[in-house]
Amino acid sequence: MPKVLISDSMSNIAQKIFEKNNISFDVKTGLSEDEIIKIIPEYDGMVVRSATKVTKKIIESAKNLKVIGRAGAGVDNIDLATAKEKNMLVMNTPGGNANATAEHAFALIMSVLRKTPFANETTHKGQWEKKNIKGTELSKKTLGIVGFGNVGVRLSYLVKGFDMKILVSSKSLESRKRDFPHVNNVSFEELITNSDVISFHCKAAPDGKPLITKEHYKKMKPTTYIINAARGNIVDEKDLNDALKENLIAGAAVDVFSKEPAKENILFNNPKAILTPHIAASTTEASIVVAEMVANQISDFLLNGKKINTV
Ligand code: MLT
């Protein structure tokens, strides 16, 4: 009977699926790298979310491991090169939390445009800041979506009622253009120059370099808002902080950080930045879907050799 280690907390639907498939499993969360190294030789499969860092050392000690499943989209917590070297399959659950992430990006857009966190905080304190809070409307503005995978596409549909112009910068969109007549595929430069809200939904660059630099901010309208619910290193935090302080842009909302958990960050206490702790995909619905997908995929692979959503 194959054996799977579930090393991050996730919906117990994953356990039910393994049980149903006669796959034995252990749920052991919060383990250190050394603790995982000690136990990993027992397992044929491993399921993680983002907390477990599946390092080179873990993979090299995993003598029987055949598959690592990520309940989520990003696989930046898994050493893919070593996994490939060791012939280990890595799977994720694309699309499983796309709606949750797009909805959070949308919520961030509305919050930063209407200054909702500040309004909430001050009203709770009995301060009546009505005169000091003037929002910006989203309707009829231009939304720039960088990256047009599951999340970017979903966001483009969510804003449909807002009568927006949607610009997209995506290499893969050219061949799929006919499926998305409601968006315009433009260059990155065009997108940043013309958008009122720029929302990132792409992968980080392989070398980890940020996609926007100081020079890019200078080309944006001073009324532009930046949203990052993708990965922390896509938008350099120091450059973003400087751009906000120098009034090169109007505001930002950030869900992801270069270092997580973000216990300290240059953006902390910048009143023009709204920050959330990487919760875009954290909904009841999405956590069930990703756990279900990953457990089914791992079961299918361990029992039938079927490879689904491999990275
Ligand atoms: C993902 O990659 O699926 C999301 O960022 C959610 C997460 O990492 O928890």
Side-chain angles (χ1 to χ4, degrees), residues 237 256-259 262-269 275:
E237 288 148 352
V256 284
F257 298 85
S258 53
K259 188 157 184 272
K263 301 283 185 191
E264 51 185 46
N265 190 281
I266 194 159
L267 290 166
F268 287 2
N269 297 316
L275 311 178

Side-chain angles (χ1 to χ4, degrees), residues 49-50 70-76 97 101 229-231 256 278 281-282:
R49 284 187 59 204
S50 57
R70 161 74 158 103
V75 284
D76 37 347
N97 53 24
T101 307
R231 281 296 178 263
V256 284
H278 202 150
S282 301

Side-chain angles (χ1 to χ4, degrees), residues 229-271:
R231 281 296 178 263
N233 49 0
I234 291 174
V235 179
D236 181 88
E237 288 148 352
K238 185 183 179 307
D239 287 351
L240 175 61
N241 196 48
D242 289 346
L244 291 168
K245 287 199 161 160
E246 290 162 26
N247 296 321
L248 296 178
I249 57 169
V254 173
D255 183 53
V256 284
F257 298 85
S258 53
K259 188 157 184 272
E260 295 184 5
K263 301 283 185 191
E264 51 185 46
N265 190 281
I266 194 159
L267 290 166
F268 287 2
N269 297 316
N270 186 324

Side-chain angles (χ1 to χ4, degrees), residues 281-299:
S282 301
T283 63
T284 308
E285 294 84 350
S287 52
I288 293 172
V289 175
V290 295
E292 194 173 23
M293 284 174 79
V294 80
N296 277 323
Q297 290 171 200
I298 291 209
S299 301

